[in-house]
Each structure stands twice: as structure tokens, then as C-alpha cells.
Amino acid sequence: MNTVLQVVSAVAALASVFLGFRLGAKWAPPGSRYNAKPALIGMTAAAVLLLVIGAYLGLVWTPPEAMMGEVYRIIYVHVPAMWMALLALTLNFGCCIAYLMKSSWKTDALAEATGEVGLLFGSYGLVLGSIWGKPTWGTYWDWDPRLTAMAIMLVTYVAYMALRGFVEDPEKRAVWSSVVGIISYVNLPIVWFSVKWWRSLHQVQSTPKTVDPDMVLSLRVNAWAFLIVLTLFLLHRYRIALATREAEVALPDALPPDAPGSQPNRASEVA
């Protein structure tokens, strides 16, 4: 059963990611008439189903942890949330580099989407970690290397999103935020390796060989469910960002040829 459920959940998540790429190209662009409703309903249904199964597995199916007892069960939402945050911010890093190499409003819109959604999942995961820390460490917060590095990284992405909100010129905003996004990403490897580089209160990453197989199943099902949710969030946020970008750069094209400010502008095309 474990293998079958892992395979089914993985296939559902990867199929949703594929649909996310397709809908990003077909449905997200402004003015598109592509019918995305069946795919969106299917992805949402798969996410809800896997979340329900994952909740049952995490709360009922898996045995208590040897040291923490029942408290450890928050791992099945805390860890997937952090994984999705790191994945989204890695995509943001790639988009920032890609935009500086070749300007594209689609790349900039995807950078905005991945930055915001990554910040959302990271904040959610950090809050869950603090809740977990109270019964296990005796406090909601400790200036542990991993917690500190994660907090600093989230603050830098808050600055990234603030910059995107304050700069009105689309081209300057895209360039400046790309630079800030690349700098912010420097913290991510520190977050990941901090438990190995320093003596950390936070435990080292577990592997399937070091935990109960039922725990592995529960964690993977929840992780695949979170991946579908991440895909949906990114897809909708990307569509909003593209529409916003079109509205920002559409004015010059809307003016008559002889009107002031109607000269060709590189920012007048969403490409």
C-alpha cells in the first residue's frame, strides 16, 4: 500500500506541475480565451484529496516519535512548507538571472510570483516551526543558526517585495529587484547547511533510512500535496502579475502616433 500511495501521489503532483506549465503558457497571458477550468478543478481536487489523506496518515496512521511522542506530527506540514518555500525561491533566483541576461516581462512576472509565494510558504513554515519549538525546546524562538538564517532570508525577501511595490518604473523595478533577488538567495544555502556547519539546536535533516517507513509515506504524500498547492498559487499569481505588467506598459501603444509620449518604448510589449 505504501508504494502504491506514494506513486499515485507523486504522479498526481507531477501531472499538476505539467499542467501548471501548460496553463502558464496558454491561460495566464492577458486576453487569453483558453479554457483552464477543467485543469484547475482537477488540480484543486487532487490537492484537497492528498491533503486529506496526508492529514489522516500524519495524525492517525504513523506511530508516535520515540523522543517527542505525538508533538512531532507537525513535521508533516512544517517540512513540506519549508521545502516549497526553498523551491519557489530557487525559481525566483533563476528568473532574476534570466531577466538580467535577457529582458522579458514574462520572466519578470514569474519572478514576482515566485518571490511572493516563496515568502508566504517560508513565513508559514517558520510559524509552524515556532509552534513546534515550544513543547520541544521550551521556547517559541531561539537564536539558533538555522532559525536565524531563515529569519534573515525572509526579511530580505520582504525587502525584495517592498522594492517591487515602491518602484513605479517597470524596467527599473525589474532590474533592481532582480539584483536584490540574487543577493537574497545567498542566504538559502546557509539555511540548508547551517545544521551541518554549526552546532545547532535544530535537528539535522532526516533520511528515509533513519525514520519509520510509515513516517516516510506520510511526509511524501503531504509534500506532493503541497507541491500541487504551490503550483496553483504560482499559476494564479503569475497570471495576476502578467496582467498588471500589461496594464503598466499598454499606455504608449494606446496613444495616437503623433501624441507626445507615443514613441516606441521597449517596455510597451509583454514578451
Side-chain angles (χ1 to χ4, degrees):
M1 175 187 172
N2 287 16
T3 302
V4 172
L5 190 51
Q6 288 189 33
V7 170
V8 169
S9 59
V11 169
L14 295 178
S16 294
V17 171
F18 171 78
L19 286 174
F21 280 109
R22 181 174 178 81
L23 295 181
K26 298 280 189 178
W27 174 67
S32 171
R33 296 184 178 181
Y34 185 82
N35 182 17
K37 189 174 181 180
L40 291 173
I41 291 176
M43 292 167 68
T44 303
V48 171
L49 178 61
L50 288 181
L51 286 172
V52 170
I53 295 174
Y56 170 76
L57 293 174
L59 296 174
V60 179
W61 177 269
T62 55
E65 204 273 335
M67 301 297 295
M68 291 180 284
E70 304 291 348
V71 173
Y72 92 99
R73 296 184 188 278
I74 200 171
I75 191 176
Y76 300 119
V77 285
H78 167 67
V79 171
M82 285 301 191
W83 283 348
M84 297 308 113
L86 299 182
L87 175 58
L89 296 178
T90 299
L91 291 174
N92 175 268
F93 175 69
C95 289
C96 291
I97 292 179
Y99 183 85
L100 293 179
M101 295 179 64
K102 183 179 180 181
S103 300
S104 166
W105 293 125
K106 291 181 180 179
T107 305
D108 180 55
L110 186 57
E112 180 177 332
T114 52
E116 185 172 304
V117 175
L119 179 59
L120 172 66
F121 275 86
S123 301
Y124 175 59
L126 192 64
V127 170
L128 290 174
S130 296
I131 295 173
W132 189 4
K134 180 61 176 177
T136 54
W137 300 340
T139 180
Y140 288 110
W141 184 260
D142 184 273
W143 292 104
D144 168 85
R146 168 161 282 188
L147 273 66
T148 304
M150 187 66 188
I152 293 173
M153 185 175 74
L154 292 180
V155 168
T156 61
Y157 279 100
V158 169
Y160 170 84
M161 294 307 303
L163 176 64
R164 298 199 67 98
F166 289 142
V167 179
E168 295 184 358
D169 183 276
E171 292 189 31
K172 290 182 179 179
R173 180 203 305 138
V175 173
W176 295 354
S177 61
S178 293
V179 174
V180 173
I182 293 171
I183 295 173
S184 298
Y185 188 78
V186 172
N187 287 298
L188 193 145
I190 298 175
V191 171
W192 184 258
F193 291 107
S194 57
V195 292
K196 297 181 179 179
W197 290 346
W198 299 290
R199 295 182 59 184
S200 176
L201 184 62
H202 193 288
Q203 70 184 65
V204 180
Q205 294 95 334
S206 300
T207 69
K209 296 181 180 180
T210 61
V211 297
D212 187 280
D214 290 338
M215 295 180 180
V216 176
L217 172 66
S218 301
L219 186 57
R220 285 182 175 172
V221 170
N222 279 285
W224 290 124
F226 270 65
L227 181 59
I228 301 176
V229 174
L230 175 71
T231 303
L232 286 167
F233 278 24
L234 287 177
L235 181 59
H236 284 284
R237 189 61 186 85
Y238 173 61
R239 188 169 189 252
I240 294 171
L242 268 182
T244 303
R245 209 67 72 247
E246 181 185 65
E248 288 178 325
V249 303
L251 181 59
D253 288 342
L255 295 174
D258 57 346
S262 63
Q263 298 301 316
N265 188 327
R266 190 178 68 86
S268 64
E269 296 181 359
V270 177

